[in-house]
Amino acid sequence: MSENSASVLRKACFFDRDGVANVEVDYLHEVEKTVLEQGFAEAVKLAHDNGYLAIIITNQAGIARGKFPIEDLYKVHDRIKELLAEQGTGLDAIYFCPHHPDVNGECGCRKPAPGMILKAAEEWNIDLSQSLMIGDRITDAQCGKNAGCKASYIVRTGYGMETLKEYPEPGFPVVNNSYGALCDFLKNQA
């Protein structure tokens, strides 16, 4: 039996990618522009230190729209992993949706749909009622809620400030960055 299929349910911290894990760059696909967002490496460490998996879930419509090939996406993900390794930590998994409704039609994996989180929960034996989602857009937080996560947070990094201008009372906790979100979540678990 593999570690992922163990009978004990696990907990996870789900992170959006652009604007949460890495600094927002419109349709990021260049390795040299890949920079970790403030607090992300610390959040991943804190997640692991507290028994949570650290998993990125990300919409990547640039693939469907032909803005970059899927190989570039994998290179950016490899760079994120390298940057985290330099900080002494790492991700457990990355899930992405390569679709866009204008190109591919509706799908079950594009946030706010919960497909990526549900797939991760199945593959990693995750108890979503003990897990959280951190993102910089309403669709990220809604995705966590739609999947049944215990909490969803909106951060001020990335598109977070624009999100808060559009939704001044988003209905989800708002914090500065992913580290702040995880700290707040863990404080409320005590």
Side-chain angles (χ1 to χ4, degrees):
M1 180 178 285
S2 74
E3 182 181 351
N4 295 349
S5 62
S7 60
V8 176
L9 287 176
R10 305 170 89 178
K11 304 175 285 189
C13 183
F14 297 102
F15 299 94
D16 176 46
R17 193 190 86 175
D18 301 318
V20 177
N22 57 267
V23 173
E24 176 64 45
V25 174
D26 199 30
Y27 292 108
L28 175 63
H29 64 281
E30 299 113 327
V31 171
E32 63 275 8
K33 292 183 180 178
T34 306
V35 177
L36 293 182
E37 184 59 75
Q38 178 186 8
F40 180 63
E42 294 81 1
V44 171
K45 287 179 190 176
L46 186 61
H48 288 149
D49 288 348
N50 284 276
Y52 288 78
L53 298 166
I55 298 173
I56 286 177
I57 63 162
T58 179
N59 289 345
Q60 291 297 318
I63 295 168
R65 291 178 164 173
K67 296 200 178 271
F68 56 88
I70 198 165
E71 294 79 19
D72 287 355
L73 178 79
Y74 291 126
K75 289 175 186 173
V76 167
H77 289 174
D78 287 345
R79 181 64 181 148
I80 291 170
K81 292 173 190 175
E82 289 170 7
L83 292 169
L84 287 171
E86 290 171 9
Q87 301 282 331
T89 193
L91 295 167
D92 294 289
I94 300 175
Y95 293 84
F96 65 91
C97 171
H99 310 118
H100 189 277
D102 295 344
V103 178
N104 312 98
E106 295 297 322
C107 68
C109 57
R110 183 173 171 79
K111 294 179 283 180
M116 289 183 281
I117 290 179
L118 297 177
K119 182 176 181 182
E122 181 182 332
E123 292 180 357
W124 290 87
N125 205 33
I126 296 169
D127 180 355
L128 294 174
S129 71
Q130 297 302 312
S131 301
L132 72 151
M133 173 68 202
I134 302 171
D136 62 336
R137 296 179 183 251
I138 288 291
T139 52
D140 298 322
Q142 289 171 333
C143 177
K145 181 179 179 180
N146 293 341
C149 288
K150 187 169 190 173
S152 291
Y153 285 81
I154 295 176
V155 295
R156 292 184 178 96
T157 54
Y159 285 111
M161 294 307 289
E162 290 178 34
T163 296
L164 295 172
K165 284 178 187 170
E166 188 175 348
Y167 301 95
E169 295 185 28
F172 299 98
V174 177
V175 293
N176 287 334
N177 59 34
S178 58
Y179 181 74
L182 189 52
C183 286
D184 185 74
F185 179 80
L186 293 172
K187 176 185 70 176
N188 292 321
Q189 304 313 298

